[in-house]
């Protein structure tokens, strides 16, 4: 009788321990590959940075981080896929200004980005760069404005899709300078560059990583950066604000996850990103691509995304653009 009672007590203690143990998925995370969705084409600036960070996270967490390019709709196809994925930490979303811009630019999105995602980590801050075809006559921002006003409606600008910072930087420039230009959206800036190089489309306000690569290679000509002052990585390129006072479009890259993702998983990912951004080899690669590493807590990154959403709403209203 005593033995039966002792066994029963042992069984109850064992069960109590099971019910109060940490969730196995969070404790073992990650125990299989993680899929990281990005909304733009391979070879573009988002893709370049995502692959640098995916390798760094794979090295630190012992599982492969797989970059998946889900292009289209200014990154909203990837965002919708992430929002609808299981909130288990095995589907993540690359977050950039397009996610903040789309909230006000697109009128019929099937999700609310701030409501339906949770912030995970900030990666870096970056600027955009205005680059033009080598066949285009303008050598400075003022040359560009003068040519544009003398040739209204005859200049076209590429973007990596409606609602991206690449698109809205140009719309802000149009609104502030009264330049009449035609928008030609692509599914990523990497796809647009062949047409810019051949002068089928004259310019792009691209994210610095790919714009810098193309300008350093002599394929296009850099006229200005969209940060309020000259950018540390390219101090020889003027800020557009030097010619157009008040002009500013500074972006960010980071990671979000579907709403409901366990806080333990978010903490693991945030720490891994923070550790990667302390690695001189990783930061050197990001810096080479024109970025400034910006580690943040999930709460700090969430506030940044919310603030950027409000900022870009004002730009969308000022520029008077929308997408149905």
């Amino acid at each position: 009788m005593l033995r039966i009672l002792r066994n029963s007590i042992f069984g109850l203690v064992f069960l109590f321990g099971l019910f109060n143990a940490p969730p196995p998925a969070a404790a073992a995370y990650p125990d299989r590959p993680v899929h990281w969705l990005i909304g733009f084409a391979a070879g573009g600036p988002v893709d370049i940075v995502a692959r640098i960070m995916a390798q760094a996270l794979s090295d630190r967490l012992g599982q492969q981080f797989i970059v998946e390019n889900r292009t289209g709709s200014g990154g909203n196809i990837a965002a919708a896929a992430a929002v609808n994925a299981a909130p288990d930490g095995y589907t993540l979303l690359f977050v950039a200004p397009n996610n903040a811009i789309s909230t006000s630019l697109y009128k019929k999105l099937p999700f609310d980005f701030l409501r339906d995602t949770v912030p995970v980590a900030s990666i870096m801050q970056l600027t955009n760069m205005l680059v033009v075809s080598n066949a285009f006559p303008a050598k400075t921002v003022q040359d560009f404005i003068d040519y544009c006003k003398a040739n209204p409606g005859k200049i076209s600008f590429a973007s990596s899709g409606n609602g991206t910072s690449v698109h809205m930087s140009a719309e802000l420039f149009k609104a502030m300078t009264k330049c009449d230009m035609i928008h030609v959206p692509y599914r990523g800036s990497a796809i647009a560059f062949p047409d810019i190089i051949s002068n089928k489309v004259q310019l792009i306000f691209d994210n610095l990583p790919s714009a810098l690569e193309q300008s350093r290679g002599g394929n296009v000509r850099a006229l200005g950066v969209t940060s309020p002052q000259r950018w540390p990585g390219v101090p020889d390129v003027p800020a557009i604000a030097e010619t157009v006072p008040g002009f500013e479009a500074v972006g960010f890259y980071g990671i979000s996850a579907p709403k409901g993702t366990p806080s333990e998983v978010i903490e693991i990912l945030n720490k891994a990103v923070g550790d990667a951004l302390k690695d001189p080899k990783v930061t050197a690669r990001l810096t080479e691509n024109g970025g400034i590493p910006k580690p943040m807590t999930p709460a700090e990154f969430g506030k940044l995304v919310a603030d950027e959403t409000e900022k870009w709403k004002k730009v969308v209203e000022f520029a008077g653009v929308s997408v149905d």
Side-chain angles (χ1 to χ4, degrees), residues 40 45-46 96-98 101 126-131 157-173 181 183-186 188-190 192-193 196 203-211 226 247 249 251 253 312:
F40 304 100
V46 170
N98 62 286
I101 294 167
L126 72 162
T127 185
N128 289 351
M129 179 187 279
L130 166 57
V131 296
F157 70 91
S159 81
S160 49
N162 287 315
T164 60
S165 69
V166 179
H167 171 207
M168 291 309 300
S169 294
E171 293 290 356
L172 180 61
F173 185 85
M181 302 185 293
H183 178 211
V184 183
Y186 292 77
S189 60
F193 267 105
I196 299 166
L203 66 125
I204 188 170
F205 285 76
D206 197 19
N207 291 169
L208 189 59
S210 56
T226 62
F247 183 87
Y253 286 166
W312 284 108

Side-chain angles (χ1 to χ4, degrees), residues 12-204:
L12 287 172
V13 170
F14 178 74
L15 287 174
F16 180 80
L18 281 180
F19 283 120
N20 286 274
Y29 179 86
D31 63 2
R32 62 182 188 273
V34 177
H35 293 261
W36 193 5
L37 308 185
I38 72 171
F40 304 100
V46 170
D47 183 74
I48 292 169
V49 173
R51 292 181 190 280
I52 292 171
M53 289 304 299
Q55 184 60 57
L57 292 174
S58 298
D59 292 344
R60 281 156 183 79
L61 293 176
Q63 289 290 340
Q64 187 177 7
F65 278 67
I66 302 169
V67 173
E68 291 189 11
N69 303 83
R70 303 280 187 95
T71 64
S73 188
N76 288 316
I77 289 176
V83 163
N84 291 307
D88 55 9
Y90 290 94
T91 301
L92 305 174
L93 178 68
F94 193 107
V95 182
N98 62 286
N99 301 110
I101 294 167
S102 292
T103 299
S104 54
L105 182 70
Y106 283 80
K107 304 307 178 187
K108 298 177 181 178
L109 285 179
F111 58 85
D112 181 315
F113 188 77
L114 292 178
R115 180 196 67 203
D116 297 332
T117 65
V118 290
V120 174
S122 166
I123 297 172
M124 67 185 232
Q125 186 181 44
L126 72 162
T127 185
N128 289 351
M129 179 187 279
L130 166 57
V131 296
V132 299
S133 166
N134 287 327
F136 192 70
K139 300 294 192 296
T140 67
V141 172
Q142 189 60 57
D143 287 349
F144 178 87
I145 295 170
D146 293 342
Y147 185 91
C148 189
K149 290 186 174 180
N151 297 273
K154 295 182 180 179
I155 297 173
S156 57
F157 70 91
S159 81
S160 49
N162 287 315
T164 60
S165 69
V166 179
H167 171 207
M168 291 309 300
S169 294
E171 293 290 356
L172 180 61
F173 185 85
K174 283 176 60 178
M176 292 183 72
T177 61
K178 309 303 180 187
C179 280
D180 181 8
M181 302 185 293
I182 299 167
H183 178 211
V184 183
Y186 292 77
R187 285 179 173 263
S189 60
I191 301 170
F193 267 105
D195 286 351
I196 299 166
I197 292 167
S198 65
N199 202 36
K200 291 179 182 177
V201 180
Q202 282 68 55
L203 66 125
I204 188 170

